[in-house]
Amino acid sequence: GGVRGAPRHAAAEEAPAVPAQLPVLPGGLLPRGHEEVQDHAAVRGQQVQEVLEFPVKAGWKKGTKLTFEGKGHEIDAGLPGDVVLVLDEKPHPTFKREGNDLVVQQRVPLKQALCGFATTLTHLDGRQLRVEVKEVVSDGFVKVVKGEGMPISKTNGAQKGDLKLRFRVDFPRELTDDQKAELKRIL
């Protein structure tokens, strides 16, 4: 099904399709509410160029397929095939997507890991998000911030996954005898 020439979010059809990769920007987001791709297809033996526009839903994942029916190269009996776009994800320097969750790796000095701290990070939407960590942080500890992950496309963005901060604890390279004695006394 689907309107001829309109994008359809579905699995690839049996008919020959024109594959294309569409990169998804930071953490799975596209920079605009729509995207365009250029399609070069042969129609009735002539090369035709067309710009295909389609809406972008927040939270679409890598591997999401968009099918433009009848917009591909001619197949048997002069019938046009489909153009199938497959979303791909570009790596982001800060965030990694895991399903609907966003994961951030952070290093924390031992003093802060033991005593607590606050960290501020710039979210994908540009907001400054302050996260307080009051727990004692061990290497690999994960702090979960509910509802700050990727929009869930099936809810039209009304619900979001979680933000997960994974910590690596930086230990001092050396301690003086006095520091060791003080730590033994305290701990």
Side-chain angles (χ1 to χ4, degrees):
V3 178
R4 187 171 174 77
R8 181 170 51 90
H9 177 268
E13 297 287 328
E14 299 277 334
V18 178
Q21 292 289 316
L22 178 66
V24 179
L25 298 176
L29 295 177
L30 287 164
R32 300 177 292 203
H34 78 284
E35 192 59 70
E36 299 176 352
V37 293
Q38 288 196 3
D39 173 35
H40 300 272
V43 177
R44 289 178 197 66
Q46 294 185 357
Q47 195 72 12
V48 175
Q49 180 178 334
E50 182 178 356
V51 175
L52 304 174
E53 286 193 34
F54 53 93
V56 176
K57 284 189 178 180
W60 273 353
K61 296 178 183 173
K62 178 179 181 173
T64 298
K65 294 179 181 179
L66 295 165
T67 300
F68 289 85
E69 292 182 343
K71 293 294 183 180
H73 294 285
E74 284 185 6
I75 52 175
D76 294 334
L79 297 174
D82 296 342
V83 172
V84 179
L85 298 177
V86 181
L87 284 132
D88 196 8
E89 287 183 350
K90 284 186 174 181
H92 188 270
T94 304
F95 297 95
K96 181 179 178 193
R97 184 175 187 166
E98 289 181 0
N100 293 317
D101 297 333
L102 288 174
V103 179
V104 176
Q105 300 283 342
Q106 290 215 324
R107 301 187 75 82
V108 59
L110 179 60
K111 179 180 174 181
Q112 290 180 341
L114 294 172
C115 299
F117 61 99
T119 184
T120 302
L121 51 96
T122 303
H123 207 296
L124 291 173
D125 59 10
R127 286 180 298 130
Q128 294 296 305
L129 186 63
R130 181 178 163 87
V131 179
E132 287 196 35
V133 182
K134 296 179 180 178
E135 302 89 346
V136 172
V137 173
S138 59
D139 207 43
F141 174 82
V142 177
K143 174 76 173 182
V144 177
V145 182
K146 295 282 186 193
E148 288 292 345
M150 289 300 296
I152 299 172
S153 62
K154 291 180 182 176
T155 69
N156 291 321
Q159 296 177 353
K160 293 182 179 182
D162 298 329
L163 173 64
K164 296 179 178 179
L165 287 85
R166 280 198 186 120
F167 293 101
R168 291 276 172 235
V169 178
D170 289 333
F171 286 83
R173 293 195 183 271
E174 56 188 52
L175 294 172
T176 66
D177 289 339
D178 289 343
Q179 289 172 322
K180 289 178 186 176
E182 187 64 18
L183 282 172
K184 285 179 185 176
R185 186 186 70 74
I186 296 170
L187 300 175

